[in-house]
Amino acid sequence: MVAGRAGTALANGERIWWLERMLHLPDEALVQAPLLLHDLPVRMANCYYAYVHFPATVLCLVWLYLRRPAHYLRLRRALAVLTAAAFVLHVWIPLAPPRLTALTHMVDTGRQYGPTVYGPPESDQLSNQYAAMPSLHVGWALAVAVALMAVTAGWRRWLWLAHPLITALVVVATGNHYWLDGVVAALLLGLILAVLPRPAVPSGSATSSTAEPPRPHVVPAPRRGGRRRDPKVPATAEVRLRPPGRG
């Protein structure tokens, strides 16, 4: 559906580039420059882009399916709707990534340093390389982080945000996306999560932060003072329970 629209995609890439400069967003080329000083950081960024995206999402879905089915269902729906909306935008507005837009002067780190997941755009029959906006790498990573934060207690829940933050830096530094690609993905995900119903919390669940802790049973202390009972004299209740004597 997007074959033969490379010219339109390249022109849209230049428009996004100038729009970001008008918005005073950081230059993507300046983010990439430190990586190009050594081969190891570039290869690590390329490996993160190529090998973390799908496995991290699948592992999260499997774990939620086994341990938190309600949250799994919400994440599955969010990913499905986000991906469908992204496909519509990819066809409606073809957009060349920075590595294919000459105006950005960015290096295609995957092709130059490896590993790469794309072949030449002209002969690539497996992927649409003119589908930069929105970034599904950023959108999926953020959806995974939000889902895991919902089932994690305490300050550790914020550590899950490292995945989408690293992903955003990686996709920009490798020349695969503009900053606005990640911003649009985050906005779409926010709208989708606002519409989807929240997972129901089971009644009496121990994970509820608003649940009132059980009060301990306090045994009252014996009363002090007053008249003591002679142990040799039976109490009234004991007298009533005794069987009648003989004689």
Side-chain angles (χ1 to χ4, degrees):
M1 296 179 67
V2 297
R5 303 182 64 186
T8 303
L10 293 172
N12 289 335
E14 295 182 355
R15 294 188 183 98
I16 292 295
W17 175 263
W18 287 116
L19 177 60
E20 289 186 338
R21 304 293 77 79
M22 292 176 58
L23 297 175
H24 302 286
L25 293 177
D27 192 336
E28 286 86 350
L30 296 179
V31 178
Q32 186 186 70
L35 290 181
L36 302 180
L37 298 177
H38 302 282
D39 290 354
L40 181 59
V42 180
R43 293 182 182 274
M44 291 178 61
N46 290 337
C47 289
Y48 198 95
Y49 180 85
Y51 303 135
V52 175
H53 176 56
F54 283 108
T57 307
V58 171
L59 287 175
C60 177
L61 285 169
V62 171
W63 187 85
L64 290 177
Y65 177 80
L66 297 175
R67 303 296 298 273
R68 300 290 190 274
H71 292 273
Y72 157 79
L73 183 61
R74 189 168 192 251
L75 176 60
R76 188 188 69 179
R77 290 172 175 173
L79 291 177
V81 178
L82 176 63
T83 305
F87 283 167
V88 173
L89 290 176
H90 293 165
V91 175
W92 183 28
I93 308 176
L95 178 63
R99 60 184 174 83
L100 296 179
T101 304
L103 184 63
T104 64
H105 302 288
M106 296 189 69
V107 176
D108 188 345
T109 59
R111 182 176 300 182
Q112 184 166 338
Y113 296 90
T116 182
V117 295
Y118 303 115
E122 299 80 12
S123 59
D124 191 353
Q125 301 295 326
L126 297 178
S127 60
N128 176 19
Q129 298 192 39
Y130 299 114
M133 181 180 291
S135 170
L136 285 178
H137 270 72
V138 175
W140 283 22
L142 186 58
V144 167
V146 171
L148 293 177
M149 288 175 65
V151 298
T152 306
W155 61 269
R156 292 180 180 84
R157 64 164 60 98
W158 301 105
L159 297 178
W160 295 116
L161 290 176
H163 178 43
L165 291 176
I166 295 175
T167 301
L169 289 176
V170 164
V171 298
V172 169
T174 55
N176 287 287
H177 287 285
Y178 302 93
W179 293 115
L180 288 179
D181 299 340
V183 172
V184 172
L187 292 176
L188 280 176
L189 179 63
L191 293 175
I192 293 169
L193 293 178
V195 174
L196 291 178
R198 295 179 177 273
V201 179
S203 58
S205 175
T207 58
S208 177
S209 59
T210 59
E212 184 179 357
R215 297 181 179 180
H217 177 68
V218 179
V219 179
R223 298 177 60 182
R224 296 182 179 180
R227 187 177 178 180
R228 294 185 177 179
R229 184 174 64 86
D230 189 352
K232 296 181 179 180
V233 179
T236 306
E238 295 177 356
V239 173
R240 293 177 180 174
L241 294 176
R242 285 184 179 181
R246 298 179 180 178

